[in-house]
Amino acid sequence: MKLGFEKWMEAQKLPNAAEPLLLDAIICYKTSAYRASLLMSYLGFLVIIKSRIMAGNKPPLLPQQKWLDKLAALRNEDLWEAEVFSALQKKETTTGSGSSRTRTEDPFFPLSDGLRQQIAYWKDRRNDCAHNKDNIIVAGHIEAFWTFMISNLPKITIEGGMASLLNQLTVYYDHNQTPEGTPLTPLVSSIYSSVDQTELPYFWNEAFKIIEATYDWSYKSRNGFIFEILKLPAISVKESMLDYLKSDHDKLFHYIDEYPEVIQLLNYTSQEIRKLWKTQILQRNSCIKIYASLLRNNLIPANEIQEANDFFATEKRYSDDPLDREILRHNGYDRALYQKLFVEPDRSYYKFWNTLNNDSTGYRQYIEYLPINKEIVQFVCEELSKSWFSFYLAQGLDSLFQNNVSKKQEFRNIAIAESIVIPDKLPSLK
């Protein structure tokens, strides 16, 4: 059975010089040679960092000579280990204080003080192993160091973990470099370990700028990115994204259009939910889909459902999704829709045919998915027998009857039983 660390290694692109050291560390761990395992693990870690310096670009405010001296020292087999450690510990230098504080020299790696302290702690444990000190080294030390590596290696880059990740996103969304359909999950999974919690709002801003630069007119890429974030097991990352969306209604509502179930994750109060459906949702193209999701997730109190049914039925639309239709019927939306489509309209209005044109999709959906009765059949036949009639309604229903034999027979049987004349505009029923 493979260790979690072994599986992690297989998913990484590790420097050639680091992989044998880490494989030796695993072998030593499995044979309980814990001091040797920790020593090999630490050396493997330093080799990874060394390769990042050697392959990196000089930080802008680091003097050229210091950079060249560091590269030369890293090539010295007697000095490289200490030089990697000193590079990890180097901090920025500044002048002034407060608002006048100015950085005068960059570090090799933009790390937090806490992370530098952790690196120093593991160097001390390395010394325990190398110099046979009295401190006991057990399996837990190796496991903790491997966890430290997995969690923090994405943060330890010359440009910083967040900048590195943003560069990877740029490459991912450039289809000249990355084929469409390439999984995004491996990339977003590193957000937790690459970006500090306090920097996440800035990271989301920059990530969305990268996506928007691809001319994502349909919001497919943007919604896909959000979807992958909300799938992550890292609760803090998901909560940060949700907070970001709540502050940006444009992104939130375009995401709700496609994934309305996100509303239940937003921790809205009952008053906020009511304001949402009363003032925001009816304007969305997918308003009935969103309403069905609100019902499915019990976000509308029982005593408000009839009001909500009447409110959304004014849109005169149903749903082509069977799961949505099930929850809508269960909550009585079909009755409210019947009233709006077949009972309340003023059929004496001289341009009623135009009203039917505008609402033809809702009429087709109702007749296709719900039981019909004499009143519905009579309504349709009378309206399509007029000189001025709804072309879109006639076209939609005739296409429905051509492709749905059972619904055609249901409609035709009622017409025959009730002696209702079928109009010529529905030739599929003749």
Side-chain angles (χ1 to χ4, degrees), residues 125-372:
R125 302 294 73 73
R126 172 261 186 221
N127 290 339
D128 290 340
C129 299
H131 304 300
N132 198 28
K133 294 189 176 181
D134 291 337
N135 288 331
I136 297 173
I137 301 296
V138 297
H141 285 93
I142 294 89
E143 293 161 5
F145 183 67
W146 287 346
T147 300
F148 164 81
M149 286 181 63
I150 293 170
S151 299
N152 292 292
L153 273 173
K155 299 175 185 174
I156 308 175
T157 62
I158 294 291
E159 65 271 32
M162 178 170 64
S164 177
L165 189 52
L166 289 170
N167 288 337
Q168 292 177 60
L169 278 174
T170 300
V171 171
Y172 177 86
Y173 285 108
D174 179 0
H175 295 312
N176 293 320
Q177 301 183 70
T178 306
E180 286 194 63
T182 301
L184 180 60
T185 303
L187 202 159
V188 300
S189 295
S190 63
I191 292 174
Y192 178 75
S193 55
S194 300
V195 184
D196 286 338
Q197 181 74 18
T198 57
E199 295 179 325
L200 282 172
Y202 176 80
F203 176 77
W204 302 137
N205 273 328
E206 297 306 302
F208 285 126
K209 286 179 185 177
I210 292 168
I211 296 170
E212 287 160 5
T214 65
Y215 303 103
D216 181 36
W217 304 120
S218 66
Y219 310 107
K220 179 181 177 182
S221 295
R222 190 170 77 182
N223 285 349
F225 176 73
I226 297 170
F227 181 79
E228 290 294 334
I229 299 301
L230 297 182
K231 281 170 49 182
L232 292 173
I235 294 174
S236 59
V237 176
K238 290 194 292 189
E239 288 182 344
S240 175
M241 173 57 77
L242 291 169
D243 287 341
Y244 183 90
L245 290 176
K246 287 166 74 173
S247 68
D248 189 327
H249 278 192
D250 177 69
K251 292 183 179 65
L252 174 62
F253 282 105
H254 281 118
Y255 187 75
I256 288 174
D257 283 339
E258 189 170 356
Y259 300 103
E261 61 275 9
V262 73
I263 295 174
Q264 67 176 317
L265 303 178
L266 298 173
N267 293 322
Y268 282 149
T269 65
S270 58
Q271 290 80 13
E272 288 173 320
I273 291 290
R274 181 175 173 84
K275 183 178 180 181
L276 186 73
W277 66 260
K278 289 286 285 186
T279 65
Q280 299 285 342
I281 293 177
L282 202 63
Q283 290 77 35
R284 312 305 302 180
N285 289 333
S286 55
C287 62
I288 303 304
K289 179 180 177 69
I290 298 171
Y291 178 48
S293 181
L294 291 175
L295 292 172
R296 189 179 297 114
N297 291 291
N298 299 312
L299 294 176
I300 298 182
N303 63 347
E304 296 181 19
I305 288 177
Q306 184 57 56
E307 178 190 1
N309 283 338
D310 293 338
F311 180 78
F312 282 99
T314 60
E315 191 65 12
K316 297 181 182 177
R317 296 290 290 270
Y318 200 35
S319 175
D320 292 323
D321 185 311
L323 294 177
D324 289 347
R325 295 198 301 270
E326 180 182 354
I327 194 66
L328 289 168
R329 282 199 304 270
H330 178 74
N331 285 277
Y333 177 76
D334 55 325
R335 295 189 293 274
L337 183 61
Y338 180 88
Q339 288 291 118
K340 298 298 180 183
L341 290 174
F342 300 107
V343 177
E344 295 181 8
D346 179 8
R347 296 170 64 187
S348 65
Y349 175 52
Y350 78 106
K351 282 191 176 181
F352 186 60
W353 58 270
N354 195 41
T355 300
L356 291 178
N357 271 340
N358 294 333
D359 300 330
S360 60
T361 298
Y363 283 98
R364 180 199 58 77
Q365 289 174 322
Y366 190 101
I367 291 170
E368 180 174 4
Y369 298 125
L370 290 164
I372 57 178

Side-chain angles (χ1 to χ4, degrees), residues 34-35 37-43 45-46 81 85 88-89 114-130 135-152 156:
Y34 298 131
R35 288 179 180 273
S37 178
L38 185 55
L39 183 57
M40 292 298 103
S41 296
Y42 181 81
L43 289 174
F45 167 72
L46 289 192
E81 185 179 340
F85 179 77
L88 289 167
Q89 294 298 310
L115 183 50
R116 289 195 175 94
Q117 290 170 8
Q118 291 181 66
I119 293 169
Y121 169 84
W122 288 114
K123 178 179 182 291
D124 289 342
R125 302 294 73 73
R126 172 261 186 221
N127 290 339
D128 290 340
C129 299
N135 288 331
I136 297 173
I137 301 296
V138 297
H141 285 93
I142 294 89
E143 293 161 5
F145 183 67
W146 287 346
T147 300
F148 164 81
M149 286 181 63
I150 293 170
S151 299
N152 292 292
I156 308 175

